[in-house]
Amino acid sequence: MTAARITVNGKETPISPAAPHTTVLDFLRERGLTGTKEGCAEGECGACSVLVARPGVNKPTDWVAVNACLVPAAALDGQEIVTSEGLATVGEPGTPPVLHPVQEEMAVRGGSQCGYCTPGFICSMAAEYYRPGRCAHAESVEGADVGESADAEHGPNGFDLHALSGNLCRCTGYRPIRDAAFAVGEPTDEDPLAQRREQSPPAPVATEYAQDGSAFLRKDTLAETLQLLRERPDAVVVAGSTDWGVEVNIRSRRADCVIAIDRLSELRELRVEPGFIEIGAALTLTEIERRLDGSVPLLAELFPQFASRLIRNGATLGGNLGTGSPIGDSPPVLLALEASVVLADANGERDVPLADYFTGYRQSVRRPGELIRAVRVPLPLSPVVAFHKIAKRRFDDISSVAVAFALDIEDGIVRKARIGLGGVAATPIRALATEAALEGRPWAAESVEAAARVLRGEGTPMDDHRASSLYRSAMLGQSLLKLYAQTTEAVSS
């Protein structure tokens, strides 16, 4: 077993003597790379973002921006990262570095004022700059001329402004930052980070990193991991660490043993079979989004509303379900899709319908030593779908209420209705009474209004700082009326 180390800006750097819970943010700052900043320590501001070389969707390697404040440094053992300092090209001694194109545009267009958030913006912007097909997408947008955006959130250069949705600026304002994003060109053939995309990413390595009585472990195979979990059922299991990282930073949680599963090949497959789609539990939401490419429309509606691109670059479906949170955004969608979870332990696997998975607040049927290996979505898919997230911010916020619909409507009659709800009970739930009120009835104003009244009574919504119980109930009914309005508009147009 080799010593744990990370390649940082092209230089191999030992992780020791950092504690196993030390974040990449603190690891970098302790080594003088202070461009990476701490703003919130919760993955909401993006001041800490760095680039990680990850398996690509359209090329061997993608440069992916992640929140360094959430990821343990030990989780990047054997991997390769680039910080804001590493983007510039260092010249001869005594000469200033040559700015990266993203850095240059941010400078000349006034995208930086106090500069605190700037390195994080630059890393997120660089990830989008290097996204394969970005410029090709720009050329395919009908009516998008040079210097003119195709819409408010996509530049004439193909830049998707959602790449910056997890980055906050408190003084400059976003217009010059957007201008910089929409001005960057295409990477040159000589660009070393562009060339790096054509090579394979670092292979996963087994990790046994221990300091001061605590350990961070990663095994080579699922079988070895399940055996380790049998021996250490008390261990904390992490993939993207977008939830556990907050616990470490904000609540000072520590674990004697953390087991990483994010690079296990058995948990990173996406298969389309005749009767179902199987999505590996350790695939990130960004990877799922880009691999499915809209083929599951309800998931396609979910992804842009799930936190930010920075979070989606690390978060997984397995992690979102594994926490058992009643306000996770993916459970309502997966309930509406009638998904199941494949649970695995050292003795074998079992397939559990998601509707039977949750048993109480942050509790489930998952036994000690079990992992979520995959999520299965049955086929065919219902044609009428929608995901409505009610929150105080448009992006990067926790739901007050989340509602997912999947309906089969034939000849004006609702033949099948599946509705998943989040934020209105101790667990994510199916709106069974509303489903029954819709099925077999016309998709018409009178029957939909009656079903909306039923939907307002589903669950046991509570009062908290996000919303009152009355507001949550009202939003449930309103969501169904909104869906009806949207479908009738689509038919009439």
Side-chain angles (χ1 to χ4, degrees):
M1 186 74 62
T2 59
R5 57 185 62 243
I6 305 172
T7 299
V8 181
N9 298 333
K11 181 181 178 181
E12 280 200 349
T13 307
I15 295 175
S16 179
H21 68 265
T22 300
T23 64
V24 173
L25 167 66
D26 290 337
F27 169 81
L28 292 171
R29 293 186 61 82
E30 288 167 2
R31 284 152 182 80
L33 295 169
T34 54
T36 310
K37 301 291 197 293
E38 179 180 301
C40 66
E42 295 183 87
E44 291 193 356
C45 75
C48 64
S49 70
V50 298
L51 297 173
V52 183
R54 288 276 170 82
V57 176
N58 299 311
K59 285 185 178 291
T61 292
D62 281 345
W63 286 111
V64 175
V66 300
N67 289 294
C69 73
L70 298 179
V71 182
L76 297 186
D77 177 24
Q79 297 189 49
E80 181 180 346
I81 69 174
V82 173
T83 70
S84 58
E85 296 93 338
L87 287 170
T89 302
V90 178
E92 296 295 327
T95 62
V98 178
L99 293 181
H100 186 276
V102 166
Q103 295 171 322
E104 178 72 21
E105 293 295 347
M106 283 284 279
V108 301
R109 296 177 188 276
S112 177
Q113 187 168 321
C114 81
Y116 195 90
C117 70
T118 304
F121 265 100
I122 283 172
C123 284
S124 293
M125 198 178 294
E128 178 67 5
Y129 176 75
Y130 288 114
R131 177 170 60 86
R134 172 179 61 84
C135 292
H137 172 74
E139 295 169 2
S140 68
V141 177
E142 184 177 352
D145 298 324
V146 174
E148 177 182 311
S149 295
D151 58 55
E153 295 172 344
H154 294 83
N157 57 355
F159 194 102
D160 183 357
L161 211 57
H162 291 285
L164 306 182
S165 64
N167 294 82
L168 300 180
C169 174
R170 292 174 174 84
C171 56
T172 301
Y174 296 103
R175 186 195 56 77
I177 296 172
R178 184 197 66 179
D179 291 348
F182 286 178
V184 294
E186 189 169 4
T188 65
D189 293 338
E190 295 76 29
D191 186 325
L193 294 183
Q195 293 174 350
R196 178 66 185 82
R197 299 177 303 177
E198 307 300 332
Q199 305 163 15
S200 298
V205 299
T207 300
E208 291 184 9
Y209 184 73
Q211 294 280 349
D212 302 323
S214 60
F216 186 98
L217 308 175
R218 175 185 281 112
K219 293 296 185 180
D220 284 320
T221 67
L222 176 60
E224 291 175 307
T225 303
L226 294 175
Q227 183 57 42
L228 178 60
L229 271 175
R230 171 181 277 181
E231 299 165 3
R232 298 295 303 265
D234 60 324
V236 172
V237 177
V238 298
S241 201
T242 54
D243 186 75
W244 176 245
V246 176
E247 295 292 316
V248 169
N249 292 337
I250 303 302
R251 297 182 177 87
S252 298
R253 291 277 302 278
R254 301 292 183 262
D256 293 335
C257 180
V258 174
I259 299 175
I261 61 171
D262 55 316
R263 309 321 296 164
L264 291 176
S265 61
E266 299 95 333
L267 273 62
R268 292 184 47 77
E269 298 176 349
L270 195 154
R271 298 188 295 120
V272 180
E273 302 291 344
F276 61 88
I277 298 172
E278 184 172 287
I279 304 169
L283 285 169
T284 69
L285 300 186
T286 293
E287 289 173 321
I288 299 168
E289 178 185 13
R290 291 176 178 169
R291 293 189 190 188
L292 289 177
D293 194 24
S295 60
V296 181
L298 189 51
L299 285 175
E301 288 201 23
L302 162 71
F303 292 134
Q305 301 181 67
F306 191 112
S308 66
R309 176 62 69 193
L310 279 169
I311 293 295
R312 296 196 296 275
N313 286 344
T316 64
L317 286 182
N320 205 227
L321 296 175
T323 64
S325 171
I327 52 175
D329 284 339
S330 72
V333 168
L334 295 172
L335 284 167
L337 290 172
E338 296 185 282
S340 62
V341 291
V342 181
L343 301 176
D345 64 13
N347 296 321
E349 293 185 352
R350 58 186 178 127
D351 193 339
V352 177
L354 188 62
D356 300 330
Y357 173 76
F358 301 104
T359 58
Y361 179 71
R362 289 190 178 273
Q363 296 177 334
S364 71
V365 299
R366 187 162 54 89
R367 303 165 185 149
E370 274 189 322
L371 284 177
I372 300 175
R373 182 184 67 77
V375 173
R376 285 180 180 161
V377 176
L379 297 174
L381 301 170
S382 295
V384 179
V385 298
F387 176 63
H388 296 162
K389 176 174 178 173
I390 295 92
K392 293 186 176 181
R393 296 194 302 262
R394 183 182 177 197
F395 297 117
D396 204 9
D397 200 5
I398 294 173
S399 299
S400 298
V401 178
V403 188
F405 298 97
L407 309 178
D408 290 344
I409 303 173
E410 298 176 5
D411 300 323
I413 303 297
V414 180
R415 304 299 181 186
K416 178 181 175 182
R418 295 294 180 265
I419 305 171
L421 307 179
V424 296
T427 69
I429 60 172
R430 282 259 304 274
L432 298 175
T434 308
E435 293 173 2
L438 285 170
E439 290 181 345
R441 291 174 173 80
W443 185 242
E446 184 177 354
S447 54
V448 170
E449 288 169 2
R453 290 192 290 272
V454 176
L455 186 53
R456 291 188 189 99
E458 298 271 18
T460 53
M462 60 181 289
D463 296 318
D464 63 17
H465 63 282
R466 292 190 185 93
S468 68
S469 60
L470 290 176
Y471 177 81
R472 287 186 162 100
S473 295
M475 289 302 98
L476 288 178
Q478 194 65 26
S479 66
L480 182 56
L481 299 178
K482 179 180 178 180
L483 174 64
Y484 176 71
Q486 290 172 331
T487 57
T488 52
E489 285 175 10
V491 171
S492 61
S493 61

